[in-house]
Amino acid sequence: MSTKQERQLVVEKSEQILERTIKQMDPEFYHAFSNMLHDYIVVTNPRKNIEYRKDLGDLIRLMAEVVNHAQPVRAYTTGELARVFGVSVQAINKWIDEGRFLGYKREGNKRHNRIPETISFVMRTGEMVTVQEVVGMYHRQNHEQEVVELTPDQHRDAVLDEISRLMKKYGGTYEMTLGTKTKRTIQEDRDASIWFVLLDELREMNEAKK
């Protein structure tokens, strides 16, 4: 891994070199390279807001900042991810071949494939989440199931509490807020999916009581 001093050197030298050579000699290539690097950062780190940072010099500085604050990256085998996603290893390999793990290519023997937690996974809805987020959700769900065994009434109260939290967050019912929006952010899409499932679950519980 590069040292902090090496990254600082790249940032300082790139500003001088880019201005004097590539940017002046071949502005078309400079522009294309800037766009490609911008897209790569978005794909590998979709939560990073870099909409207005499309100059190559700015992007190189951003890369140095990201690496400076980076933690060691864990990689998961296809078997581990199969357990997390609740599917077979064959399904994980199929998703790799379909390009749903963005930027990751399957190598030789299937057993040797290890997918970094920073890789983004494309859900069926088109939403992107990192492998790290999926693993985190899996562990939280398992922890909740192990630690708390709710009674039917406690479960209903928990559902109502979560619906109430979402209503306060968006200032109204699902039908009045997210249910009417045709264009939503990734966070709004995620909340809308959770909210819809909670409402459906509450309806089923109410019908079971009749």
Side-chain angles (χ1 to χ4, degrees):
M1 186 173 181
S2 60
T3 65
K4 191 169 184 178
Q5 290 74 21
E6 287 174 332
R7 293 191 288 276
Q8 184 60 34
L9 176 65
V10 169
V11 170
E12 293 173 357
K13 290 290 185 181
S14 63
E15 291 179 350
Q16 303 170 15
I17 296 171
L18 292 172
E19 286 291 335
R20 295 174 185 172
T21 56
I22 303 175
K23 196 170 185 178
Q24 292 182 9
M25 295 172 58
D26 197 337
E28 184 179 6
F29 173 77
Y30 182 92
H31 178 72
F33 189 29
S34 298
N35 284 342
M36 186 179 73
L37 185 56
H38 173 275
D39 292 345
Y40 177 78
I41 296 173
V42 170
V43 167
T44 55
N45 196 346
R47 299 289 182 268
K48 199 78 178 175
N49 184 9
I50 61 169
E51 188 62 30
Y52 302 106
R53 301 180 72 168
K54 292 193 175 181
D55 183 79
L56 191 53
D58 286 339
L59 292 170
I60 289 173
R61 282 192 293 277
L62 175 62
M63 288 175 64
E65 291 169 13
V66 171
V67 176
N68 283 341
H69 297 93
Q71 299 296 320
V73 176
R74 177 173 176 180
Y76 294 89
T77 66
T78 51
E80 288 173 320
L81 288 184
R83 186 164 59 253
V84 167
F85 281 91
V87 297
S88 66
V89 172
Q90 289 77 13
I92 297 294
N93 284 317
K94 182 173 181 289
W95 290 348
I96 294 173
D97 293 340
E98 290 174 349
R100 293 181 64 188
F101 290 96
L102 292 180
Y104 184 81
K105 300 294 183 184
R106 191 147 59 95
E107 301 173 5
N109 193 316
K110 299 176 185 177
R111 291 172 299 176
H112 295 159
N113 284 274
R114 301 184 68 87
I115 302 176
E117 62 184 357
T118 52
I119 288 288
S120 294
F121 175 73
V122 182
M123 301 173 70
R124 291 294 181 192
T125 59
E127 180 184 356
M128 290 191 297
V129 294
T130 63
V131 169
Q132 185 179 42
E133 288 177 305
V134 176
V135 171
M137 287 187 282
Y138 168 77
H139 287 311
R140 282 194 298 274
Q141 184 180 19
N142 279 356
H143 178 71
E144 289 167 3
Q145 289 174 351
E146 289 172 4
V147 175
V148 182
E149 192 64 39
L150 299 178
T151 66
D153 285 340
Q154 288 173 327
H155 180 64
R156 187 174 188 278
D157 289 343
V159 169
L160 287 170
D161 286 345
E162 188 62 15
I163 291 173
S164 177
R165 183 188 69 80
L166 289 166
M167 288 178 67
K168 288 178 182 177
K169 180 176 180 178
Y170 291 100
T173 64
Y174 174 82
E175 290 77 12
M176 293 166 53
T177 57
L178 297 184
T180 63
K181 292 188 73 171
T182 54
K183 291 186 178 180
R184 298 188 294 227
T185 65
I186 290 176
Q187 183 60 57
E188 287 174 337
D189 261 339
R190 185 173 299 164
D191 283 347
S193 299
I194 294 170
W195 203 345
F196 188 82
V197 169
L198 289 170
L199 290 170
D200 197 45
E201 192 172 356
L202 182 61
R203 278 191 291 269
E204 287 183 3
M205 287 189 286
N206 289 337
E207 288 173 4
K209 279 195 167 186
K210 291 179 181 179

